[in-house]
Amino acid sequence: MTDASPDLAAYEAKARELLSCIEAGDEEAVGKALDELTRLRETELFREIGKLTRELHEALKSFRLDGRLSDIAVSEIPDAHERLNHVIELTENSAHRTLTALEESLETLSSIGSEGKVLAAEWKRFRSRQLSATQFRGLGQQLDQFFERLESEGDAIQAKLTDALMAQDYQDLTGQIIRRVMELVKEVEDGLVSLISISAPRQAPDKATESAKSADKKKDDEKKLEGPQVPGQESESAVSGQDEVDDLLSSLGF
Amino acid sequence: MRILIVDDFSTMRRIIRNLLRELGFQNTQEAEDGNTALPLLKKGGFDFLVTDWNMPGMDGLTLLKHVRSDDDLKHLPVLMVTAESKREQIIEAAQAGVNGYIVKPFTAATLEEKINKIFDRIESAE
C-alpha cells in the first residue's frame, strides 16, 4: 500500500535499534525494541481499521441517501415480484386457452371424421346400386344434415383456432414485462458494484459514476414508455381497455 | 393491398399476419423495428402500416413521424398496435397523425373493426 510507505522509515529505525541491541547482547533493550516495533505495527493496523470503518460508514450513508436504491428496495423489488407473478398468470391462461381450443377442435374433427366415414360407405352402396329408393331418401337427408354440420362446425373450429392464435400474444406481453425486470436486476447489480467501489475505491474507481448515469437513464425511460400494465400496479393515467382508447380518440375528433 | 407489419416480437408479427390473412389481406411483409421498416416503406408499394410502439432501434412513434414528414408516405394509413396504454401516449400518437390505436392484448374483432373504420374514413374522404 502506497500510503504506508512513510512509516517504513520508522520501521527501519526501530529495526536497526533492535539489531544493535541484539549485537550488543542487551536482552532487556532487545525486549524493549521489540515492544516498540509491535506497537508501531499495531498503530498502523488500527489506523487501517479506522479507515475501513470510515469507508464502510460512508458507503452505508450513501446507500441510505441514494433515493434510487431505496426506491428499488422498498417498491421495485416487490413490484418485480408481482410482475413476474403476472407473467406466470399470463402464460398459464394462454396455455389453457390454447389447449382448450385444440381439445375442442380435435374432438369436433374426430366426430365429423367418423360421421363422414359412415356416409361415405352408404354413398358407395348407392353408387353400386345397393340402396332402395327409401334408403336413398334417408341418405339424402343425412347428407344434407352433414353438409350443414360441416358449415357450422367448420366456422366453430375456425373461431377456436383463431382464439388459439390470439392466445400466443402472451409472448410479446410477458417478454416486455420480463425485459423490465431484467433492467431492474441490472440496476441493482450496478448499485451493488458502486457500493463496493465506495468501500474499496482502489478496485473500481469508475463504476459509481457509471451506475449513477444508468439510474438517470432509467428515470428518463420510465417517463416515456411503460409497456403492458400489470394488475394492481396500473399507472393512474392508463386506460383500462380498448373502449377507453376509443372514447379518448373520439374526444380528440377521431 | 400490401401491408407492412412492424413489431419486435416475431410471435406478435405472426399473430397479426394470420389475422390479416383471415380478413382477406394476403399480401403482408414484416419488419422488426422502425429502422428496418422505413427503408422498406420508402421503396414504395405499401398501402397500410401496422406498427408496435416500444421497439429497440427506432420505435413506432418515431417511425410514424418519419412517415408523416415524407412527401411520398405522408398519406399512408397507420394503425398502432401496442401495450402502451397511458392517456398521454395515446394523445401523443393521435397528434403525430396515427389513424387507429389498439391496445394489447386485443381481439381479432377489434383489429377488423379498426381496419374497416380506417378504410371507411379514407373512402369517404376521397
Side-chain angles (χ1 to χ4, degrees), chain A residues 110-242:
Chain A
S110 134
S111 136
I112 288 175
S114 20
E115 193 178 344
K117 264 183 211 154
V118 172
L119 289 173
E122 284 298 289
W123 182 248
K124 213 171 168 185
R125 286 182 64 207
F126 164 71
R127 301 262 294 178
S128 52
R129 300 170 196 280
Q130 292 172 12
L131 289 192
S132 68
T134 326
Q135 282 173 324
F136 178 68
R137 267 198 299 280
L139 177 62
Q141 271 175 3
Q142 280 179 327
L143 280 173
D144 278 344
Q145 282 166 7
F146 185 62
F147 291 144
E148 271 170 35
R149 185 179 174 201
L150 279 184
E151 203 179 332
S152 68
E153 306 251 45
D155 287 349
I157 288 175
Q158 182 158 12
K160 278 170 194 162
L161 293 183
T162 301
D163 193 45
L165 182 92
M166 290 306 298
Q168 310 312 308
D169 68 353
Y170 80 90
Q171 207 268 331
D172 174 357
L173 299 172
T174 59
Q176 292 192 51
I177 294 172
I178 291 172
R179 270 188 194 159
R180 268 156 224 277
V181 174
M182 278 161 63
E183 278 168 20
L184 175 67
V185 170
K186 176 81 179 76
E187 212 186 329
V188 171
E189 187 194 343
D190 288 349
L192 291 177
V193 167
S194 88
L195 196 64
I196 291 167
S197 75
I198 293 167
S199 63
R202 282 172 292 262
Q203 283 172 15
D206 295 323
K207 289 282 183 177
T209 48
E210 266 174 36
S211 90
K213 266 184 228 158
S214 92
D216 287 348
K217 189 178 166 291
K218 178 82 197 304
K219 272 174 202 160
D220 287 346
D221 286 349
E222 272 175 351
K223 253 183 255 162
K224 282 185 191 161
L225 299 174
E226 286 201 338
Q229 298 291 323
V230 174
Q233 294 181 23
E234 293 94 341
S235 261
E236 268 178 38
S237 69
V239 296
S240 66
Q242 187 64 39

Side-chain angles (χ1 to χ4, degrees), chain B:
Chain B
M1 166 76 63
R2 193 147 164 259
I3 303 176
L4 183 63
I5 304 163
V6 190
D7 199 303
D8 52 331
F9 280 90
S10 58
T11 43
M12 185 47 75
R13 294 200 299 270
R14 220 169 138 181
I15 289 171
I16 294 175
R17 184 180 70 214
N18 278 289
L19 290 176
L20 288 173
R21 197 181 51 213
E22 270 185 50
L23 296 176
F25 303 107
Q26 308 277 353
N27 192 354
T28 55
Q29 204 174 334
E30 297 174 27
E32 61 183 14
D33 79 332
N35 287 329
T36 38
L38 197 57
L40 290 172
L41 289 170
K42 284 191 171 172
K43 258 193 239 164
F46 284 101
D47 307 292
F48 190 48
L49 170 64
V50 179
T51 182
D52 185 19
W53 184 328
N54 190 5
M55 296 177 284
M58 187 196 293
D59 67 37
L61 188 75
T62 314
L63 176 65
L64 171 64
K65 287 176 180 167
H66 277 289
V67 165
R68 289 290 173 258
S69 63
D70 184 306
D71 280 343
D72 295 327
L73 296 173
K74 62 184 174 194
H75 298 300
L76 182 74
V78 179
L79 175 63
M80 200 164 253
V81 181
T82 170
E84 303 306 328
S85 55
K86 288 202 292 187
R87 286 166 190 280
E88 306 89 84
Q89 281 154 354
I90 300 166
I91 293 167
E92 200 181 350
Q95 285 166 346
V98 82
N99 300 80
Y101 196 102
I102 295 179
V103 284
K104 294 173 185 171
F106 62 101
T107 63
T110 303
L111 183 68
E112 182 174 14
E113 185 195 321
K114 298 305 161 204
I115 288 179
N116 287 339
K117 207 169 158 191
I118 289 172
F119 288 118
D120 285 352
R121 207 177 291 127
I122 290 169
E123 274 166 30
S124 66
E126 274 166 5

Side-chain angles (χ1 to χ4, degrees), chain A residues 95-114:
Chain A
H96 281 304
R97 248 173 93 188
T98 309
L99 291 171
T100 305
L102 293 182
E103 281 166 5
E104 290 174 1
S105 304
L106 285 172
E107 201 181 310
T108 312
L109 281 174
S110 134
S111 136
I112 288 175
S114 20

Side-chain angles (χ1 to χ4, degrees), chain A residues 11 14 31-45:
Chain A
Y11 277 116
K14 289 287 163 207
K32 202 178 146 223
L34 266 175
D35 283 348
E36 278 170 10
L37 252 181
T38 314
R39 200 156 45 242
L40 195 63
R41 178 80 193 116
E42 278 174 355
T43 316
E44 201 190 317
L45 195 67

